Amino acid sequence: TPRLAIGRTMSVTGKRGVGVPVILMHDGEGTIVTVECKNGDTYRGFLDETEDNMNCILKDATKTAADGRKSQVEHVFIRGSQISFFVFPTMLKKAPMFHRVRTWRKHRGTHKAGEGARGQAAAIIRKAQARQLQMKTGVLPPIR
């Protein structure tokens, strides 16, 4: 498995090994979502709580049955295995999880020491590399 410089594996999905959809569900807690079930029923409401097995609780939801009848439900528990798909708000495009996916793809699951460092860490690494180069060659590198 790919290793980080500090001895940890780089993962898109975190320590628990859950997938991207489950992480997105957790990031969507506290927003209005639409959930379609395998039986054709659709629920639109406030996503109150989710679990790693995709079970979720919606509050103040509108249920649209497969035949088109609508009804209001105060709380509804939806079993994860019965969910066909979720519709999340567009604001979740900026969720932190997608930044982790981009970073993971950029490094193809690996991360080398000094790569991707920013701010003070990057400055320290550049100075250390300049000192090493100066000691080897006796020539100062240009400052970036």
Side-chain angles (χ1 to χ4, degrees):
T1 57
R3 298 259 172 213
L4 285 170
I6 57 175
R8 296 184 182 166
T9 58
M10 183 173 183
S11 173
V12 175
T13 58
K15 295 178 184 174
R16 290 186 276 177
V18 295
V20 172
V22 174
I23 293 172
L24 187 60
M25 283 180 64
H26 287 295
D27 286 347
E29 287 179 358
T31 63
I32 303 295
V33 297
T34 303
V35 181
E36 184 168 314
C37 298
K38 290 181 180 178
N39 65 0
D41 292 350
T42 304
Y43 296 89
R44 180 167 174 78
F46 181 82
L47 184 58
D48 188 42
E49 191 176 331
T50 59
E51 298 175 5
D52 288 351
N53 58 5
M54 295 183 71
N55 293 346
C56 63
I57 297 173
L58 296 179
K59 282 185 179 178
D60 302 322
T62 302
K63 175 186 176 186
T64 306
D67 61 4
R69 289 180 291 126
K70 289 189 175 189
S71 59
Q72 288 294 120
V73 286
E74 189 175 330
H75 287 87
V76 62
F77 175 85
I78 303 172
R79 186 181 170 102
S81 64
Q82 298 304 307
I83 295 173
S84 287
F85 68 88
F86 263 87
V87 178
F88 292 101
T90 56
M91 70 177 198
L92 286 178
K93 285 185 194 177
K94 303 289 184 190
M97 183 264 312
F98 290 118
H99 176 69
R100 291 193 304 265
V101 170
R102 282 190 295 276
T103 302
W104 187 83
R105 284 184 180 163
K106 178 180 176 184
H107 299 292
R108 298 190 187 265
T110 62
H111 188 73
K112 296 177 183 158
E115 217 175 72
R118 297 180 298 179
Q120 186 177 7
I124 292 169
I125 291 168
R126 279 196 304 273
K127 285 180 184 178
Q129 290 170 342
R131 279 194 301 271
Q132 288 175 351
L133 185 62
Q134 181 185 12
M135 291 180 77
K136 286 182 183 177
T137 62
V139 180
L140 288 173
I143 298 175
R144 296 188 255 163

